Amino acid sequence: MAGEFVSVIRPTNQKGGSEEGKGRSYPVLPVRDTVLFPHAVLPLTVGRESSIQLIQSLGEQKTILVVAQRDARLDVPEGEDLHTIGTRATVHKVVKMPNQSLFVFTEGTERVKLGAFTQTQPFMTAECEVVPEPALEKTAETEALQRNVIAQFQEIVTSSSTLSDDLQTIALNIDEPGRLTDFIASSLPFLTTSEKQELLETPEVKPRISSNPSRSASARSYF
C-alpha cells in the first residue's frame, strides 16, 4: 500500500469496562456505512478534517469510540446524528495516504452506549457505558444453533469468489456463540449497515445467533 507510515501500536490486552471508570470521555469517530464489531479488526479511511484531527490528537491512549452515522450523506454529523450504540476500539496503526487522508486500523473491544457529549469541536468526545453481554447457558438448542450458523457460513465462503477460505477456519475455532455471530456479521460484505447495526444493538446472544446473519435478506439476494 502506498503511503507514509505514521505509527504502529502493539495490541494490548483489552479488558472490559471495569478498568475504564465511568464518566471518562473518549474521542468519537463517526463512520459512514460501516459498523465495527467487538473483536473485529477493521481498516477505516479517515478523510474529514475533524476525524483527521481526532486521530492525530491520540497520544499514549489509543482508545476511541467508533459509531455509525444514521445518515451517511451528512458531512458534518453532530451527536444526534449518530446511533446511540457503538464500539469502543483501539487504534493499532495509522497510515497517511498521498491524498492526505488516513488509513486507520482499529480493533473493536466492546459494545458501548453513548452518554453525554463533552466536546463538539474540533471533534466530538463523549462519555460511554459498556453494554454487557448476558451469559448464554449452553444447551442442546444453542449448540445446534451454533453448528447451523457455522455450516451456513461455510457454504457462503465456499461459494464466494471473494471471501477467503481462512474465514471458515477462524469461525470453527470460535467457541463463544456471541463472538461467533459478531465475527460472521463483520465478515459478510453483503450485509447492510442497518442489518449490522441491529446486531450490534442486540447484546443478548441467543437472539443474535438465532437471527443467523448468513440467512439475512441481504444474503438471500446476494446469491
Side-chain angles (χ1 to χ4, degrees), residues 94-116:
V94 179
V95 177
K96 186 175 182 180
M97 305 304 291
N99 64 358
Q100 303 306 308
S101 65
L102 301 178
F103 206 57
V104 181
F105 290 84
T106 57
E107 179 182 4
T109 57
E110 54 202 343
R111 286 171 168 80
V112 294
K113 181 178 182 179
L114 291 183

Side-chain angles (χ1 to χ4, degrees), residues 140-192:
E141 179 190 6
T142 60
E143 290 181 344
L145 284 170
Q146 188 164 349
R147 288 194 300 271
N148 185 50
V149 166
I150 292 174
Q152 294 198 7
F153 180 61
Q154 287 178 308
E155 289 180 12
I156 289 176
V157 174
T158 300
S159 61
S160 173
S161 60
T162 58
L163 295 176
S164 169
D165 288 338
D166 292 341
L167 295 174
Q168 297 187 53
T169 303
I170 296 172
L172 286 169
N173 284 292
I174 299 177
D175 294 326
E176 303 167 33
R179 187 167 179 173
L180 171 67
T181 308
D182 287 348
F183 169 74
I184 290 175
S186 66
S187 301
L188 296 177
F190 47 75
L191 288 186
T192 65

